Amino acid sequence: MGRSVLIVGGGGREHALAWKIARSPLVSKVYAAPGNPGIAAHAECVPVAADDLPKLRDFAVSKKIDLTVVGPEAPLAAGLADLLAKEGLLVCGPGGEGARMEGSKVFMKEILSKYGVPTASFRVFDDYDDAEQYVLTHRLPVVIKADGLAAGKGVAVAQTFEEALSFLSDVMDRRVFGAAGDRVVIEECLSGEEASYIVFTDGHKVVPLPSSQDHKRIGDGDQGPNTGGMGAYSPAPVVTPEVEDRVLKEVFTPLLAGLRAEGILFRGILYAGLMIDGGAPRVLEFNVRFGDPEAQPLFLRLKSDIVPLLFQCAQGKITDAVMDIDPRPAVCVVMSSGGYPGGYAKGCPIEGIGEAEKEPGVVVFHAGTARKEGRLVTGGGRVLGVTSIGDTLPDAIARAYRAAGKIHWEGAYFRTDIGRKALARGGTR
Ligand code: AMP
Ligand code: GLY
């Protein structure tokens, strides 16, 4: 009998999940809460917000959902997986304790240091004056992180003391992130190249996805403010097979053993944000979910059925799954509303997605879209993820940009250099 799957969330990552899950012959029904107009092509969207835990539970119970897959971190940090597990339902995603790997930078750093996982050296402060004293004696640049979830805005890599103290006072004094700023981590600034490494895990074994790389800044050449992610590609050439080996041995093996020793069985997706320098990986952060927009190119490359793996993570018994990965590179170019990550207009009619998808190897994933009087309009900052696969990286990049060029709305913006760093590293295939 076909299984039912509930996807929690409504962004680009969740569209990619819905697209991939709906192709599985094991699945007969996909729901998404709340979903989006793109997801609606693969799933029944139900009007329940991703952070409305009681309603999500009631829905999953009433539909006897076979597997819930949680896209964003906030419901996991709030304990959605625990709530569903109490009802005897399967969830791919950690409980509230495990989600602290993303929800608390202090918790994460303390686990890493306790179990010998390489990361920047750090100190934790809960008092503004102590933190200020420490910053003033620290070498520049200095990295300051609010402890809790801050929608990707809780980190400053400060080049001057002025900048450092102004961020510190925003976090601890003016409390712009609320309770997320009760404590801060102040850490050494690492150099090297960043990459994302995402694995499925049942708490013991890991099954890795290929490496990928995000583009966090709004502007070409990594200029301007941070965003949720303006594009991604996979593989990341900086993650050579030797680096990958080290990541598994030096990061994931001790981390999972450490989490188990702490009584945490982590069942779900673990995403390591890494800084790689001279072939040595060090952890910048962990996320407890797929990356957005990394999931979009990754799922285009994933040829195996994702559903058995999601079930096995949820059940805590990954068998010797072999992932069939398309060797060709994939790229995602995010198209955003003009003004993002600052203020932006909503409700602008979107044209050209159908034309864009005629480009071979291209899939357009919806992130912030909406329907207004039957028309597809913009409804968020990041609007679409134009994703492509090609024989070579230049090929994949050219396809994504040809497709993006066919899509229009008033104020549409995208970076023009997605994947350039990989090209510079000789990642031509
Ligand atoms: P995080 O949310 O911890 O990944 O931090 C956001 C971004 O800040 C990262 O993607 C890095 O670009 C940068 N960053 C964080 N920690 C460090 C560090 N210790 N050294 C250098 N850059 C960092
Ligand atoms: N792309 C970065 C993230 O998902 O957090």
Side-chain angles (χ1 to χ4, degrees):
M1 206 188 69
R3 316 288 176 85
S4 58
V5 176
L6 168 64
I7 298 167
V8 176
R13 163 186 49 209
E14 290 77 25
H15 186 182
L17 268 170
W19 173 84
K20 185 71 189 152
I21 288 171
R23 308 175 136 210
S24 169
L26 300 170
V27 172
S28 56
K29 182 77 189 172
V30 185
Y31 297 97
N36 68 33
I39 293 173
H42 316 285
E44 181 178 334
C45 296
V46 292
V48 175
D51 58 1
D52 191 339
L53 270 54
K55 275 211 181 121
L56 289 168
R57 177 200 51 205
D58 293 349
F59 179 81
V61 168
S62 74
K63 296 288 183 192
K64 299 194 177 69
I65 297 291
D66 292 309
L67 176 69
T68 299
V69 183
V70 187
E73 64 279 8
L76 290 168
L80 178 60
D82 307 292
L83 205 61
L84 294 176
K86 239 187 249 160
E87 303 290 341
L89 296 172
L90 282 178
V91 192
C92 183
E97 270 294 301
R100 292 177 74 203
M101 284 301 290
E102 178 165 358
S104 167
K105 303 251 187 223
V106 172
F107 175 81
M108 181 266 290
K109 293 290 288 191
E110 285 174 348
I111 291 275
L112 297 191
S113 95
K114 185 165 173 188
Y115 296 100
V117 179
T119 190
S121 62
F122 70 103
R123 293 266 308 265
V124 176
F125 294 92
D126 60 9
D127 178 80
Y128 179 83
D129 292 330
D130 294 347
E132 186 183 65
Q133 285 302 315
Y134 182 73
V135 163
L136 288 173
T137 57
H138 199 285
R139 150 154 38 105
L140 291 170
V142 57
V143 181
I144 304 177
K145 303 183 173 185
D147 176 41
L149 291 177
K153 299 210 165 79
V155 175
V157 180
Q159 306 291 338
T160 63
F161 289 119
E162 214 176 3
E163 217 183 303
L165 293 183
S166 139
F167 183 76
L168 190 64
S169 116
D170 280 353
V171 174
M172 296 193 89
D173 232 16
R174 297 182 42 231
R175 304 183 60 82
V176 295
F177 307 119
D182 282 351
R183 292 187 292 176
V184 293
V185 171
I186 299 179
E187 68 180 36
E188 161 201 14
C189 185
L190 300 178
S191 52
E193 189 170 338
E194 285 183 52
S196 307
Y197 200 80
I198 302 173
V199 306
F200 297 81
T201 181
D202 60 2
H204 297 268
K205 285 191 183 170
V206 306
V207 177
L209 279 162
S211 62
S212 56
Q213 196 152 339
D214 188 7
H215 298 62
K216 289 203 168 104
R217 305 294 189 109
I218 186 72
D220 283 5
D222 295 328
Q223 300 297 311
N226 265 324
T227 69
M230 293 303 293
Y233 56 84
S234 170
V238 64
V239 185
T240 59
E242 295 73 34
V243 170
E244 204 160 350
D245 236 35
R246 290 188 64 170
V247 171
L248 290 169
K249 282 197 195 106
E250 295 171 23
V251 176
F252 284 98
T253 303
L255 174 69
L256 287 171
L259 287 174
R260 290 196 302 272
E262 299 289 322
I264 297 172
L265 209 51
F266 192 105
R267 295 173 169 177
I269 308 304
L270 253 177
Y271 161 143
L274 300 169
M275 186 71 94
I276 295 153
D277 196 11
R282 286 203 275 177
V283 173
L284 293 175
E285 64 164 340
F286 271 102
N287 296 319
V288 299
R289 48 165 179 84
F290 291 109
D292 188 347
E294 290 96 324
Q296 291 84 320
L298 285 172
F299 293 168
L300 234 57
R301 295 188 64 204
L302 177 59
K303 295 209 279 191
S304 329
D305 190 345
I306 196 174
V307 171
L309 209 46
L310 296 170
F311 265 101
Q312 288 173 19
C313 288
Q315 288 163 331
K317 51 172 191 202
I318 288 184
T319 54
D320 289 317
V322 179
M323 300 263 266
D324 189 8
I325 302 290
D326 195 320
R328 294 176 300 160
V331 172
C332 172
V333 174
V334 170
M335 298 182 71
S336 63
S337 297
Y340 172 79
Y344 52 82
K346 288 186 186 178
C348 305
I350 303 170
E351 310 282 351
I353 293 180
E355 277 306 302
E357 286 194 320
K358 285 187 188 151
E359 191 69 46
V362 168
V363 183
V364 178
F365 293 115
H366 291 225
T369 65
R371 289 237 174 251
K372 194 165 106 189
E373 291 151 15
R375 292 189 79 173
L376 188 70
V377 299
T378 61
R382 291 190 294 170
V383 177
L384 298 171
V386 181
T387 312
S388 70
I389 190 159
D391 286 335
T392 62
L393 184 61
D395 216 30
I397 293 171
R399 281 178 171 183
Y401 279 113
R402 269 200 304 274
K406 294 178 182 167
I407 300 174
H408 303 282
W409 71 85
E410 204 184 321
Y413 168 83
F414 51 84
R415 272 179 68 158
T416 65
D417 66 343
I418 301 303
R420 196 171 292 164
K421 240 190 246 167
L423 287 180
R425 276 202 170 260
T428 48
R429 86 134 292 151

